């Protein structure tokens, strides 16, 4: 005759198996449990203590007082202090002014509280265990669906991320409460959980009950779905890494974007935005993919915009003021107008070398007859209205138009120009003026120009 396992033993067994299946404590012995005083976090801490001896763990706890509910917040802090003292667990308490943080940084109260909380967690050593449950996971997915999401968002709350682990993600809120009831362990209830002022609470109070009527095991069903989706998501993420490394250019550019399959391309866009610290949603990613085909620009968030031209996508902050004009008196050698970009020139007077350079067509757009330059020379950035009569042409052209035709988006704000007393004689990536074009057998002094980029390759015409 079999004996039915108690709720406590069943909960601890499942928790241990979940930790083992997901290798949450691999090669780790220190675990700090995030303790709010609520049912989920109390169950997490008690469960880790019950497994402490078997798993050879050093267990501690951390409580963050958000100072949002006055005496109630302080009462929760005191509850956590007394609980940890009774359980013989070291507790670290952090107090933060979430309202002040929100006023300074913007966003919702929920977001500000989360950012303050995780900043406090980062001060702890070892692994940080948070008490996210299968119920939290369901609510998170529903919230993402409402806002718009893709495969990655449908995977729900990750079981492990960096130092953060979620050992009770297998359990529903009902499982948690039954476990605490059987072992006679109390907990506190956050009064703000009763308010529908927060999106998550509206989902919890109004949508989840309907889903539970349709499927009483909806939390576990969705958790199982997340496990399957994560397998697919990991494959796409690996492919994204391969394509992103191939197509990314510093500091915020993707090239040849239509060569990336769409399923991977959108992920590459998301990774680029994350690299730039820009928040995004499904609409923004869709807008980026549209202009990937048509060219143009779309707004991202705040002052940031996305630009696409000739298969190159660039994320750039829009400046409220026109770009600062940069210039310096020209000197032969190395100069710099922009960070990590160097304008280099050398003067050749040996006739055989001069003739060799002129004959070699790959040098054509960066060779100037030094004796034909008039008066003082200035190295500068682009100016509105710039024009140049390019070598081999009998008319002047607009620099702005030529830039749009031949210069990649990522380079348009860091171009170098040489100007003598009669006008432009050199434009990076575009060419030289007809009046300083060298001639074989006639040129006695040859000025060779090159632009050296620390973080990237130069424009095609600068390559040797």
């Amino acid at each position: 005759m079999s004996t039915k396992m108690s709720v406590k033993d069943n909960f601890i067994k499942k928790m241990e198996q979940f930790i083992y299946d997901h290798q949450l404590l691999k090669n780790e012995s220190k675990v700090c449990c995030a303790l709010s005083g609520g049912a989920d976090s109390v169950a997490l801490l008690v469960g880790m203590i019950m497994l402490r001896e078997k798993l050879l763990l050093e267990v501690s706890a951390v409580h963050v007082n958000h100072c949002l509910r006055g005496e109630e917040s302080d009462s929760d802090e005191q509850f956590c202090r007394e609980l940890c003292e009774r359980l013989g667990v070291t507790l670290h308490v952090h107090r933060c002014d979430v309202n002040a943080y929100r006023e300074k940084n913007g966003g919702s109260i929920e977001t500000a509280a989360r950012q303050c909380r995780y900043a406090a967690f980062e001060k702890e050593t070892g692994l940080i265990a948070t008490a996210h449950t299968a119920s939290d996971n369901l609510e998170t997915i529903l919230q993402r669906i409402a806002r718009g999401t893709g495969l990655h968002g449908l995977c729900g709350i990750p079981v492990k991320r960096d130092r953060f682990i979620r050992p009770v993600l297998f359990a529903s809120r009902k499982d948690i409460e039954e476990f605490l009831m059987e072992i006679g362990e109390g907990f506190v209830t956050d009064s703000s959980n009763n308010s529908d002022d927060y999106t998550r609470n509206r989902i919890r109070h109004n949508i989840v009950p309907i889903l539970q009527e349709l499927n009483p095991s909806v939390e576990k069903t969705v958790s199982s779905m997340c496990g399957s989706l994560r397998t697919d998501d990991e494959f796409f993420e690996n492919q994204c890494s391969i394509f992103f490394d191939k197509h990314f250019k510093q500091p915020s550019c993707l090239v040849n974007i239509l060569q990336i399959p769409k399923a991977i391309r959108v992920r590459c866009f998301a990774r680029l935005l994350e690299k730039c610290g820009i928040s995004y949603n499904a609409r923004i990613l869709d807008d980026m993919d549209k202009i990937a085909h048509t060219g143009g620009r779309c707004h991202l968030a705040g002052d940031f915009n996305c630009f696409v031209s000739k298969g190159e996508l660039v994320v750039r902050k829009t400046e409220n003021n026109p770009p600062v004009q940069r210039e310096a008196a020209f000197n032969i050698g190395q100069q710099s107008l922009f960070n990590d970009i160097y304008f280099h020139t050398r003067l050749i007077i040996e006739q055989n070398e001069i003739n060799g350079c002129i004959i070699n067509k790959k040098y054509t757009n960066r060779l100037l007859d030094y004796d034909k330059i008039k008066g003082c020379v200035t190295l500068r950035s682009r100016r509105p209205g710039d024009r140049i009569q390019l070598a081999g042409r009998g008319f002047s052209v607009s620099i702005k138009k030529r830039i749009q035709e031949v210069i990649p988006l990522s380079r348009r704000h860091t171009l170098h120009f040489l100007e003598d007393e009669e006008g432009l004689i050199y434009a990076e990536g575009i060419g030289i003026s007809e009046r300083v074009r060298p001639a074989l057998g006639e040129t006695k002094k040859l000025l060779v120009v090159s632009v050296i980029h620390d973080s990237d390759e130069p424009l095609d015409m600068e390559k040797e």
Side-chain angles (χ1 to χ4, degrees), residues 139-185:
E139 292 161 9
T140 295
I141 290 173
L142 292 173
Q143 191 169 11
R144 290 175 179 174
I145 290 173
R147 292 176 176 174
T149 190
L151 175 60
H152 187 69
L154 291 175
C155 291
I157 300 171
V159 180
K160 184 173 184 177
R161 177 178 58 82
D162 301 325
R163 291 198 300 137
F164 292 89
I165 60 174
R166 280 90 188 206
V168 294
L169 196 57
F170 68 92
S172 68
R173 193 162 286 115
K174 180 182 177 183
D175 295 331
I176 294 286
E177 292 174 354
E178 288 178 349
F179 168 67
L180 293 178
M181 182 179 294
E182 180 164 298
I183 65 175
E185 195 63 71

Short mmCIF file of all heavy atoms in Angstrom, two decimals, residues 139-185:
data_model
loop_
_atom_site.label_atom_id
_atom_site.label_comp_id
_atom_site.label_asym_id
_atom_site.label_seq_id
_atom_site.Cartn_x
_atom_site.Cartn_y
_atom_site.Cartn_z
N GLU A 139 1.53 35.57 -16.39
CA GLU A 139 1.18 36.99 -16.43
C GLU A 139 2.15 37.77 -17.32
O GLU A 139 1.73 38.67 -18.06
CB GLU A 139 1.20 37.56 -15.00
CG GLU A 139 0.09 37.01 -14.12
CD GLU A 139 0.36 37.20 -12.64
OE1 GLU A 139 1.35 37.91 -12.29
OE2 GLU A 139 -0.40 36.64 -11.82
N THR A 140 3.42 37.42 -17.26
CA THR A 140 4.44 38.09 -18.08
C THR A 140 4.16 37.87 -19.56
O THR A 140 4.22 38.81 -20.37
CB THR A 140 5.84 37.57 -17.72
OG1 THR A 140 6.13 37.93 -16.37
CG2 THR A 140 6.90 38.17 -18.64
N ILE A 141 3.85 36.65 -19.93
CA ILE A 141 3.58 36.33 -21.33
C ILE A 141 2.33 37.06 -21.83
O ILE A 141 2.31 37.62 -22.93
CB ILE A 141 3.45 34.81 -21.53
CG1 ILE A 141 4.81 34.15 -21.34
CG2 ILE A 141 2.89 34.49 -22.91
CD1 ILE A 141 4.77 32.64 -21.33
N LEU A 142 1.29 37.09 -21.01
CA LEU A 142 0.07 37.80 -21.39
C LEU A 142 0.34 39.30 -21.57
O LEU A 142 -0.18 39.93 -22.49
CB LEU A 142 -1.02 37.59 -20.33
CG LEU A 142 -1.58 36.16 -20.23
CD1 LEU A 142 -2.51 36.04 -19.03
CD2 LEU A 142 -2.31 35.78 -21.51
N GLN A 143 1.15 39.86 -20.69
CA GLN A 143 1.50 41.27 -20.80
C GLN A 143 2.27 41.54 -22.08
O GLN A 143 2.03 42.54 -22.77
CB GLN A 143 2.34 41.68 -19.58
CG GLN A 143 2.53 43.17 -19.43
CD GLN A 143 3.14 43.53 -18.09
OE1 GLN A 143 3.60 42.68 -17.34
NE2 GLN A 143 3.15 44.80 -17.76
N ARG A 144 3.19 40.65 -22.43
CA ARG A 144 3.97 40.82 -23.66
C ARG A 144 3.09 40.67 -24.90
O ARG A 144 3.27 41.38 -25.89
CB ARG A 144 5.11 39.79 -23.70
CG ARG A 144 6.20 40.09 -22.67
CD ARG A 144 7.24 38.98 -22.65
NE ARG A 144 8.29 39.28 -21.68
CZ ARG A 144 9.27 38.43 -21.37
NH1 ARG A 144 9.32 37.23 -21.94
NH2 ARG A 144 10.19 38.77 -20.48
N ILE A 145 2.15 39.73 -24.86
CA ILE A 145 1.24 39.57 -25.99
C ILE A 145 0.43 40.85 -26.21
O ILE A 145 0.22 41.30 -27.34
CB ILE A 145 0.30 38.37 -25.77
CG1 ILE A 145 1.09 37.05 -25.86
CG2 ILE A 145 -0.85 38.37 -26.78
CD1 ILE A 145 0.30 35.82 -25.48
N ALA A 146 -0.02 41.44 -25.11
CA ALA A 146 -0.81 42.66 -25.21
C ALA A 146 -0.02 43.80 -25.83
O ALA A 146 -0.56 44.62 -26.58
CB ALA A 146 -1.32 43.07 -23.82
N ARG A 147 1.28 43.85 -25.55
CA ARG A 147 2.12 44.94 -26.05
C ARG A 147 2.73 44.62 -27.42
O ARG A 147 3.21 45.50 -28.11
CB ARG A 147 3.25 45.22 -25.06
CG ARG A 147 2.77 45.80 -23.74
CD ARG A 147 3.91 45.96 -22.76
NE ARG A 147 3.47 46.62 -21.53
CZ ARG A 147 4.24 46.78 -20.46
NH1 ARG A 147 5.48 46.32 -20.47
NH2 ARG A 147 3.77 47.38 -19.38
N GLY A 148 2.72 43.34 -27.78
CA GLY A 148 3.35 42.91 -29.03
C GLY A 148 4.68 42.26 -28.74
O GLY A 148 5.54 42.85 -28.08
N THR A 149 4.87 41.04 -29.23
CA THR A 149 6.11 40.33 -28.96
C THR A 149 6.36 39.30 -30.05
O THR A 149 5.52 39.06 -30.91
CB THR A 149 6.06 39.65 -27.57
OG1 THR A 149 7.36 39.15 -27.23
CG2 THR A 149 5.06 38.49 -27.56
N GLY A 150 7.53 38.69 -30.01
CA GLY A 150 7.89 37.63 -30.94
C GLY A 150 8.18 36.34 -30.20
O GLY A 150 7.81 36.19 -29.02
N LEU A 151 8.87 35.44 -30.86
CA LEU A 151 9.17 34.14 -30.27
C LEU A 151 9.92 34.29 -28.95
O LEU A 151 9.62 33.61 -27.97
CB LEU A 151 9.99 33.30 -31.26
CG LEU A 151 10.50 31.95 -30.76
CD1 LEU A 151 9.33 31.06 -30.34
CD2 LEU A 151 11.33 31.26 -31.84
N HIS A 152 10.92 35.16 -28.94
CA HIS A 152 11.73 35.33 -27.73
C HIS A 152 10.87 35.77 -26.55
O HIS A 152 11.03 35.26 -25.43
CB HIS A 152 12.84 36.36 -27.98
CG HIS A 152 13.82 36.47 -26.87
ND1 HIS A 152 14.72 35.46 -26.57
CD2 HIS A 152 14.05 37.46 -25.96
CE1 HIS A 152 15.45 35.83 -25.54
NE2 HIS A 152 15.06 37.04 -25.15
N GLY A 153 9.94 36.69 -26.78
CA GLY A 153 9.07 37.15 -25.70
C GLY A 153 8.12 36.07 -25.22
O GLY A 153 7.78 36.02 -24.03
N LEU A 154 7.70 35.18 -26.12
CA LEU A 154 6.78 34.10 -25.74
C LEU A 154 7.46 33.01 -24.93
O LEU A 154 6.78 32.14 -24.38
CB LEU A 154 6.15 33.49 -27.01
CG LEU A 154 5.17 34.39 -27.77
CD1 LEU A 154 4.72 33.70 -29.04
CD2 LEU A 154 3.96 34.73 -26.90
N CYS A 155 8.79 33.05 -24.85
CA CYS A 155 9.53 32.07 -24.04
C CYS A 155 9.39 32.35 -22.55
O CYS A 155 9.77 31.52 -21.72
CB CYS A 155 11.01 32.06 -24.42
SG CYS A 155 11.32 31.40 -26.07
N GLY A 156 8.86 33.51 -22.21
CA GLY A 156 8.59 33.81 -20.82
C GLY A 156 9.83 34.16 -20.02
O GLY A 156 10.86 34.57 -20.55
N ILE A 157 9.70 34.00 -18.71
CA ILE A 157 10.79 34.34 -17.78
C ILE A 157 11.87 33.26 -17.88
O ILE A 157 11.57 32.07 -17.72
CB ILE A 157 10.27 34.43 -16.34
CG1 ILE A 157 9.19 35.52 -16.24
CG2 ILE A 157 11.40 34.72 -15.37
CD1 ILE A 157 8.46 35.55 -14.91
N PRO A 158 13.12 33.63 -18.13
CA PRO A 158 14.17 32.61 -18.23
C PRO A 158 14.44 31.95 -16.88
O PRO A 158 14.38 32.60 -15.84
CB PRO A 158 15.39 33.40 -18.71
CG PRO A 158 15.13 34.82 -18.30
CD PRO A 158 13.64 34.99 -18.37
N VAL A 159 14.74 30.67 -16.93
CA VAL A 159 15.04 29.92 -15.70
C VAL A 159 16.34 30.43 -15.07
O VAL A 159 16.48 30.49 -13.84
CB VAL A 159 15.16 28.41 -16.01
CG1 VAL A 159 15.47 27.62 -14.74
CG2 VAL A 159 13.86 27.92 -16.63
N LYS A 160 17.27 30.84 -15.93
CA LYS A 160 18.55 31.35 -15.44
C LYS A 160 19.03 32.44 -16.38
O LYS A 160 18.91 32.34 -17.60
CB LYS A 160 19.59 30.22 -15.38
CG LYS A 160 20.92 30.66 -14.80
CD LYS A 160 21.86 29.47 -14.61
CE LYS A 160 23.16 29.92 -13.93
NZ LYS A 160 24.06 28.77 -13.67
N ARG A 161 19.55 33.52 -15.79
CA ARG A 161 20.12 34.61 -16.59
C ARG A 161 21.29 35.18 -15.81
O ARG A 161 21.13 35.77 -14.76
CB ARG A 161 19.08 35.70 -16.85
CG ARG A 161 19.62 36.91 -17.61
CD ARG A 161 18.52 37.92 -17.88
NE ARG A 161 17.88 38.39 -16.67
CZ ARG A 161 18.37 39.35 -15.88
NH1 ARG A 161 19.53 39.92 -16.16
NH2 ARG A 161 17.72 39.72 -14.79
N ASP A 162 22.48 34.97 -16.35
CA ASP A 162 23.70 35.41 -15.66
C ASP A 162 23.74 34.81 -14.25
O ASP A 162 23.67 33.61 -14.11
CB ASP A 162 23.77 36.94 -15.62
CG ASP A 162 23.76 37.56 -17.01
OD1 ASP A 162 24.33 36.93 -17.91
OD2 ASP A 162 23.19 38.64 -17.20
N ARG A 163 23.76 35.66 -13.22
CA ARG A 163 23.82 35.16 -11.84
C ARG A 163 22.44 34.88 -11.25
O ARG A 163 22.33 34.39 -10.12
CB ARG A 163 24.54 36.16 -10.93
CG ARG A 163 26.02 36.32 -11.19
CD ARG A 163 26.70 36.97 -9.99
NE ARG A 163 26.18 38.29 -9.70
CZ ARG A 163 25.90 38.75 -8.47
NH1 ARG A 163 26.05 37.96 -7.42
NH2 ARG A 163 25.46 39.98 -8.29
N PHE A 164 21.39 35.19 -11.98
CA PHE A 164 20.04 35.09 -11.43
C PHE A 164 19.41 33.75 -11.78
O PHE A 164 19.40 33.33 -12.94
CB PHE A 164 19.18 36.24 -11.96
CG PHE A 164 19.60 37.58 -11.45
CD1 PHE A 164 20.55 38.33 -12.13
CD2 PHE A 164 19.07 38.08 -10.28
CE1 PHE A 164 20.96 39.56 -11.67
CE2 PHE A 164 19.47 39.32 -9.79
CZ PHE A 164 20.43 40.06 -10.48
N ILE A 165 18.87 33.07 -10.76
CA ILE A 165 18.20 31.79 -10.95
C ILE A 165 16.79 31.87 -10.39
O ILE A 165 16.50 32.67 -9.50
CB ILE A 165 18.98 30.62 -10.29
CG1 ILE A 165 19.10 30.85 -8.78
CG2 ILE A 165 20.36 30.47 -10.93
CD1 ILE A 165 19.72 29.67 -8.04
N ARG A 166 15.88 31.03 -10.94
CA ARG A 166 14.48 31.02 -10.50
C ARG A 166 14.09 29.59 -10.10
O ARG A 166 13.46 28.86 -10.88
CB ARG A 166 13.55 31.50 -11.63
CG ARG A 166 13.50 33.02 -11.77
CD ARG A 166 14.53 33.52 -12.72
NE ARG A 166 14.60 35.00 -12.72
CZ ARG A 166 15.01 35.72 -13.74
NH1 ARG A 166 15.39 35.13 -14.86
NH2 ARG A 166 15.06 37.03 -13.65
N PRO A 167 14.44 29.16 -8.89
CA PRO A 167 14.21 27.77 -8.48
C PRO A 167 12.76 27.37 -8.28
O PRO A 167 12.46 26.17 -8.20
CB PRO A 167 14.98 27.67 -7.14
CG PRO A 167 15.94 28.83 -7.15
CD PRO A 167 15.23 29.90 -7.90
N VAL A 168 11.82 28.34 -8.16
CA VAL A 168 10.41 27.97 -7.96
C VAL A 168 9.56 28.33 -9.18
O VAL A 168 8.33 28.46 -9.08
CB VAL A 168 9.82 28.61 -6.68
CG1 VAL A 168 10.49 28.04 -5.44
CG2 VAL A 168 9.95 30.13 -6.71
N LEU A 169 10.20 28.44 -10.33
CA LEU A 169 9.46 28.78 -11.54
C LEU A 169 8.51 27.66 -11.98
O LEU A 169 7.62 27.87 -12.79
CB LEU A 169 10.45 29.10 -12.67
CG LEU A 169 9.92 29.84 -13.90
CD1 LEU A 169 9.27 31.17 -13.51
CD2 LEU A 169 11.03 30.08 -14.90
N PHE A 170 8.70 26.48 -11.42
CA PHE A 170 7.84 25.33 -11.74
C PHE A 170 6.48 25.42 -11.04
O PHE A 170 5.52 24.75 -11.43
CB PHE A 170 8.53 24.03 -11.31
CG PHE A 170 8.65 23.88 -9.82
CD1 PHE A 170 7.68 23.23 -9.08
CD2 PHE A 170 9.73 24.45 -9.14
CE1 PHE A 170 7.78 23.12 -7.70
CE2 PHE A 170 9.84 24.34 -7.77
CZ PHE A 170 8.86 23.68 -7.04
N ALA A 171 6.39 26.20 -9.96
CA ALA A 171 5.22 26.17 -9.07
C ALA A 171 4.24 27.28 -9.38
O ALA A 171 4.63 28.40 -9.71
CB ALA A 171 5.69 26.28 -7.62
N SER A 172 2.96 26.98 -9.24
CA SER A 172 1.93 28.01 -9.36
C SER A 172 1.78 28.72 -8.02
O SER A 172 2.29 28.27 -6.99
CB SER A 172 0.59 27.37 -9.76
OG SER A 172 0.10 26.57 -8.69
N ARG A 173 1.04 29.83 -8.02
CA ARG A 173 0.81 30.55 -6.76
C ARG A 173 0.03 29.67 -5.78
O ARG A 173 0.27 29.71 -4.56
CB ARG A 173 0.06 31.84 -7.06
CG ARG A 173 0.04 32.82 -5.91
CD ARG A 173 -0.31 34.22 -6.38
NE ARG A 173 0.80 34.84 -7.10
CZ ARG A 173 0.76 35.17 -8.39
NH1 ARG A 173 -0.33 34.92 -9.09
NH2 ARG A 173 1.78 35.73 -8.97
N LYS A 174 -0.86 28.85 -6.31
CA LYS A 174 -1.62 27.93 -5.45
C LYS A 174 -0.69 26.91 -4.80
O LYS A 174 -0.83 26.61 -3.60
CB LYS A 174 -2.68 27.21 -6.29
CG LYS A 174 -3.53 26.23 -5.50
CD LYS A 174 -4.54 25.52 -6.41
CE LYS A 174 -5.34 24.49 -5.61
NZ LYS A 174 -6.29 23.74 -6.50
N ASP A 175 0.29 26.38 -5.56
CA ASP A 175 1.25 25.42 -5.00
C ASP A 175 2.02 26.05 -3.85
O ASP A 175 2.27 25.41 -2.82
CB ASP A 175 2.24 24.97 -6.07
CG ASP A 175 1.59 24.20 -7.20
OD1 ASP A 175 0.56 23.56 -6.96
OD2 ASP A 175 2.11 24.26 -8.34
N ILE A 176 2.42 27.30 -4.05
CA ILE A 176 3.19 28.02 -3.04
C ILE A 176 2.40 28.16 -1.74
O ILE A 176 2.90 27.86 -0.63
CB ILE A 176 3.58 29.43 -3.55
CG1 ILE A 176 4.55 29.33 -4.74
CG2 ILE A 176 4.14 30.29 -2.43
CD1 ILE A 176 5.95 28.96 -4.40
N GLU A 177 1.16 28.60 -1.86
CA GLU A 177 0.34 28.85 -0.67
C GLU A 177 0.02 27.54 0.06
O GLU A 177 -0.01 27.51 1.31
CB GLU A 177 -0.94 29.58 -1.08
CG GLU A 177 -0.67 31.01 -1.55
CD GLU A 177 -1.89 31.71 -2.11
OE1 GLU A 177 -2.95 31.04 -2.23
OE2 GLU A 177 -1.80 32.91 -2.44
N GLU A 178 -0.21 26.45 -0.68
CA GLU A 178 -0.47 25.15 -0.03
C GLU A 178 0.76 24.66 0.72
O GLU A 178 0.65 24.10 1.81
CB GLU A 178 -0.91 24.13 -1.08
CG GLU A 178 -2.32 24.39 -1.63
CD GLU A 178 -2.70 23.39 -2.71
OE1 GLU A 178 -1.80 22.64 -3.17
OE2 GLU A 178 -3.88 23.35 -3.10
N PHE A 179 1.94 24.87 0.15
CA PHE A 179 3.19 24.49 0.81
C PHE A 179 3.38 25.25 2.11
O PHE A 179 3.68 24.68 3.17
CB PHE A 179 4.36 24.76 -0.15
CG PHE A 179 5.72 24.68 0.49
CD1 PHE A 179 6.23 23.48 0.97
CD2 PHE A 179 6.51 25.82 0.61
CE1 PHE A 179 7.49 23.41 1.55
CE2 PHE A 179 7.77 25.78 1.18
CZ PHE A 179 8.26 24.57 1.66
N LEU A 180 3.18 26.56 2.09
CA LEU A 180 3.36 27.37 3.29
C LEU A 180 2.30 27.04 4.34
O LEU A 180 2.59 27.04 5.55
CB LEU A 180 3.29 28.86 2.93
CG LEU A 180 4.44 29.39 2.07
CD1 LEU A 180 4.23 30.86 1.74
CD2 LEU A 180 5.79 29.19 2.75
N MET A 181 1.09 26.75 3.90
CA MET A 181 0.03 26.41 4.85
C MET A 181 0.37 25.12 5.59
O MET A 181 0.20 25.02 6.81
CB MET A 181 -1.30 26.27 4.11
CG MET A 181 -2.48 25.97 5.04
SD MET A 181 -4.05 25.84 4.15
CE MET A 181 -4.23 27.53 3.56
N GLU A 182 0.89 24.13 4.86
CA GLU A 182 1.18 22.86 5.51
C GLU A 182 2.31 22.97 6.52
O GLU A 182 2.28 22.33 7.57
CB GLU A 182 1.53 21.78 4.46
CG GLU A 182 1.86 20.44 5.11
CD GLU A 182 1.83 19.28 4.14
OE1 GLU A 182 0.74 19.03 3.58
OE2 GLU A 182 2.88 18.66 3.95
N ILE A 183 3.32 23.79 6.21
CA ILE A 183 4.45 23.91 7.15
C ILE A 183 4.21 25.01 8.18
O ILE A 183 5.05 25.23 9.07
CB ILE A 183 5.78 24.18 6.41
CG1 ILE A 183 5.75 25.54 5.70
CG2 ILE A 183 6.09 23.05 5.44
CD1 ILE A 183 7.07 25.91 5.06
N GLY A 184 3.07 25.71 8.09
CA GLY A 184 2.72 26.71 9.08
C GLY A 184 3.58 27.96 9.03
O GLY A 184 3.83 28.58 10.06
N GLU A 185 4.01 28.32 7.84
CA GLU A 185 4.87 29.50 7.68
C GLU A 185 4.04 30.68 7.18
O GLU A 185 3.30 30.56 6.21
CB GLU A 185 6.00 29.20 6.70
CG GLU A 185 7.13 30.20 6.72
CD GLU A 185 7.85 30.24 8.06
OE1 GLU A 185 8.57 29.27 8.38
OE2 GLU A 185 7.68 31.24 8.78
#
